[in-house]
Amino acid sequence: MNVLLILKALWQRKAFIAYMCLLGAAAALCFRTFGVKNTYTYAADYYITNSELSKLLVDVDTINTDVQMTRSCKILLKSELALDTVGEMLLKKYGAEYLSNYFQIEQDTDGAAVSYDDLYNCISVDSVDEDTAVLEITVNSENPYIAQDIGQFLSYCAPYLIYFYVGSDYISPYENARLYVNEGLPGTKKIVAFGAGFAFILAIVFVIAFFLLSGRYITDSKDIKKTSGLIVLGSIPYYKMQDTDKDGIIEV
């Protein structure tokens, strides 16, 4: 098969290929804008130890004690005691009607309350490394202000809860709080480029398939033999002759 014929067919349909690329990019942009919701992640790190003085000590006993304390804090800060307090602070600031757009609002004898399960699922409390006294609090939400407030409210409650229930009298910020957008997802430019690239490949495959099915690549006896499997005995010649009566040219 003549590769030049395929390239020629692609070049002849360059407008179609370009149109498909624009269509793919537009579809990807619409998907990114309307199909993928922005997710905001608030993250803050805290150092937890028995006292400020023990932070300076590097002996094995102190490190093991701090690690155990950090593990206990991971459980405490996702308990109903902690998250119910955070839910109350959210209700005071935003109100039940606004929060119902992001969380399930439950009614009990004390009034409205933010669903514990919803808060539990959007909050992550874990050690920065497996054996460390640095605790990281992360919050995921479609609303950046709610994500930031939940993280700050939980960080505000943490020292009191940890002091009374775990026994630590020292908790301090380890790193500045951060707010990420769509963490782990490709950006808009990458999604649009992927859409355009996918449409480009699809258009090329379509043009080549149409070219092959149309039989336009059959140009000589060798192509006929390859495609049909028949033996070519001969060919009809093509030539021009002069018609002396009409002074015209006859094609045969």
Side-chain angles (χ1 to χ4, degrees), residues 79-230:
S79 65
E80 289 191 23
L81 178 64
L83 299 190
D84 285 349
T85 304
V86 172
E88 292 175 2
M89 299 174 76
L90 287 173
L91 286 170
K92 288 181 180 179
K93 180 172 182 177
Y94 293 100
E97 183 178 356
Y98 182 79
L99 288 178
S100 63
N101 296 318
Y102 305 96
F103 303 102
Q104 181 180 353
I105 303 300
E106 301 173 345
Q107 298 292 335
D108 53 22
T109 56
D110 297 329
V114 180
S115 170
Y116 167 76
D117 292 335
D118 288 354
L119 283 175
Y120 184 91
N121 292 330
C122 75
I123 296 174
S124 175
V125 181
D126 205 351
S127 302
V128 174
D129 293 315
E130 185 175 353
D131 296 325
T132 181
V134 178
L135 193 69
E136 183 178 58
I137 299 174
T138 59
V139 183
N140 297 314
S141 177
E142 296 175 6
N143 188 312
Y145 303 105
I146 290 180
Q148 182 171 325
D149 285 338
I150 291 176
Q152 290 179 348
F153 290 160
L154 191 57
S155 302
Y156 176 78
C157 299
Y160 303 97
L161 294 172
I162 292 172
Y163 177 78
F164 284 107
Y165 293 95
V166 181
S168 172
D169 57 359
Y170 185 75
I171 173 172
S172 65
Y174 181 79
E175 188 177 351
N176 293 332
R178 293 91 62 198
L179 185 65
Y180 305 102
V181 181
N182 290 323
E183 185 70 8
L185 293 177
T188 302
K189 292 183 179 179
K190 290 184 178 180
I191 292 179
V192 171
F194 175 81
F198 179 79
F200 177 76
I201 295 174
L202 190 64
I204 288 179
V205 171
F206 178 81
V207 171
I208 293 176
F210 179 79
F211 174 76
L212 296 178
L213 292 175
S214 66
R216 296 183 181 181
Y217 60 93
I218 300 176
T219 57
D220 53 28
S221 59
K222 293 182 180 180
D223 291 336
I224 296 175
K225 186 177 180 180
K226 288 180 181 179
T227 54
S228 64
L230 299 176

